[in-house]
Amino acid sequence: YAYARMVSLKRKAGVSDEEIRNIGAITFTHESEKQLALAALNFEAMILKTAEDLYPHHICDYAYEMVGKLGEFYQHCQVVGG
């Protein structure tokens, strides 16, 4: 559900993947934005840890954390079409 919500928001905003990749400086106005971004930054470390110890549950834990952070963000922050 969280993935479908994000795809829908991207579509409603009318932005391309290229535009997202080229975003410059970002200013966070709410703590949930910061927490979501910090959680996203853990992706590479999670992949490396999973590859190192071969415990795939790290991927599930990361996905669960991201869905929680995304829900908090969506609840507290104005989004396109929100």
Side-chain angles (χ1 to χ4, degrees), residues 39 42-43 45-47 49-51 53-69:
N42 290 327
F43 180 77
M46 177 274 304
I47 291 295
K49 182 175 179 78
T50 302
D53 64 18
L54 301 176
Y55 292 139
H57 73 275
H58 298 305
I59 298 169
C60 296
D61 293 344
Y62 178 80
Y64 185 78
E65 178 185 7
M66 286 300 295
V67 167
K69 300 293 183 189

Side-chain angles (χ1 to χ4, degrees), residues 12-81:
K12 288 178 184 178
V15 295
S16 67
D17 290 343
E18 187 65 29
E19 290 172 304
I20 292 171
R21 281 188 214 96
N22 292 325
I23 291 175
I26 297 173
T27 302
F28 300 114
T29 58
H30 193 276
E31 183 65 20
S32 63
E33 291 174 302
K34 180 181 173 185
Q35 293 303 313
L36 178 60
L38 290 172
L41 290 174
N42 290 327
F43 180 77
E44 182 179 4
M46 177 274 304
I47 291 295
L48 293 173
K49 182 175 179 78
T50 302
E52 179 182 310
D53 64 18
L54 301 176
Y55 292 139
H57 73 275
H58 298 305
I59 298 169
C60 296
D61 293 344
Y62 178 80
Y64 185 78
E65 178 185 7
M66 286 300 295
V67 167
K69 300 293 183 189
L70 183 58
E72 291 174 24
F73 164 77
Y74 194 79
Q75 180 180 4
H76 294 107
C77 298
Q78 176 67 35
V79 293
V80 175

